[in-house]
Amino acid sequence: MFTELKREAYEANLEIPKQGLAIYTFGNVSAFDAARGVFAIKPSGVPYDELTPDLMVVVDLDGDIVEGSGRPSSDTKTHAVLYREFAGIRGVCHSHSMYAVAWAQACREIPVFGTTHADHLTEPIPVTEPMSDDAIERDYEVETGHQIVQRLRGLDPHEVEMIIVACHGPFTWGTSAQKAVYNSRVLEEIAQMAYLTRTINPIAPPIKETLIRKHYLRKHGAGAYYGQVETPDVIDGLK
Ligand SMILES: [Zn+2]
């Protein structure tokens, strides 16, 4: 019944180990069908090389299973909050990629140190507040979603498609499941570059606002002139 949606989620999940974003069963991607109000997500605890499209679990926006025999990813309720709150997104990705997690564990946002970052967003990559004891006890995965939404307040989720959850790791999203994984890979690259920058020069400043704007607008909006007229495949688009 949800053949296409499950295939999209399956193929996006395979990108996680392929892009070096996770070991063993770490990480998960989902693909959202807005018209039907459901998303397909990785089953919990299943290694990537054992995944098949049929193993994907389809759930509604309350996280209840609509189709599938397995248990969905333990992060399912976080994905559901993001689909409910960020209108227009169609994919969510979560991983424990090393450098993004390092910034998460340090509870630090990633400053815009260079044009690689500015090509993708004009803001520092935001970090959430550490979660309160109450929230951890209440409904941990839902609260993780709420923390992301709260931190994004005042920002456009179609411009800032990535966040670092303090003490935990990255969540990214986008207009497709593949785009969400692409954003996770970009975030990991930016996180590693930023770490190296700070290692070489602990007081390295962010780049100038004019350079940030210039690079962002080369790739986004009406005046964009980067790439070819036809949109390249997002994974190939990582330059
Ligand atoms: Zn996690």
Side-chain angles (χ1 to χ4, degrees), residues 10-156:
Y10 164 73
E11 286 174 356
N13 272 286
L14 292 189
E15 284 295 322
I16 288 187
K18 208 167 132 190
Q19 297 297 330
L21 293 171
I23 55 169
Y24 299 116
T25 63
F26 297 14
N28 44 73
V29 192
S30 64
F32 182 46
D33 181 335
R36 293 196 274 190
V38 297
F39 61 95
I41 191 163
K42 182 178 177 288
S44 184
V46 179
Y48 289 97
D49 57 5
E50 291 174 21
L51 287 183
T52 64
D54 275 345
L55 284 177
M56 297 298 120
V57 186
V58 179
V59 300
D60 63 21
L61 289 179
D62 293 320
D64 294 327
I65 297 175
V66 175
E67 187 174 285
S69 52
R71 188 187 288 173
S73 162
S74 53
D75 295 309
T76 296
K77 286 184 175 176
T78 309
H79 290 236
V81 170
L82 300 188
Y83 289 126
R84 276 203 302 265
E85 298 289 336
F86 296 161
I89 70 165
R90 297 285 179 269
V92 172
C93 178
H94 172 53
S95 84
H96 285 207
S97 62
M98 185 175 293
Y99 286 89
V101 165
W103 286 87
Q105 293 180 173
C107 300
R108 288 280 187 275
E109 66 177 23
I110 304 180
V112 190
F113 282 131
T115 62
T116 318
H117 185 140
D119 280 338
H120 295 89
L121 69 167
T122 59
E123 306 279 337
I125 295 167
V127 63
T128 67
E129 292 294 317
M131 202 182 288
S132 69
D133 290 348
D134 267 6
I136 293 169
E137 298 298 332
R138 207 162 34 233
D139 195 339
Y140 177 66
E141 290 77 18
V142 171
E143 293 297 335
T144 299
H146 288 163
Q147 284 212 295
I148 294 171
V149 170
Q150 203 172 344
R151 181 61 188 82
L152 255 279
R153 213 155 272 163
L155 298 170
D156 180 348

Side-chain angles (χ1 to χ4, degrees), residues 78 165 181-182 238:
T78 309
V165 175
V181 183
Y182 168 84
L238 182 55

Side-chain angles (χ1 to χ4, degrees), residues 15 19 178-179 181-182 185 232-239:
E15 284 295 322
Q19 297 297 330
Q178 287 282 0
K179 184 71 196 307
V181 183
Y182 168 84
R185 182 67 188 87
D233 178 75
V234 288
I235 297 298
D236 292 341
L238 182 55
K239 295 286 188 293

Side-chain angles (χ1 to χ4, degrees), residues 195-207:
Y195 167 77
L196 292 170
T197 304
R198 272 278 160 89
T199 305
I200 295 166
N201 178 4
I203 56 165
I207 57 170

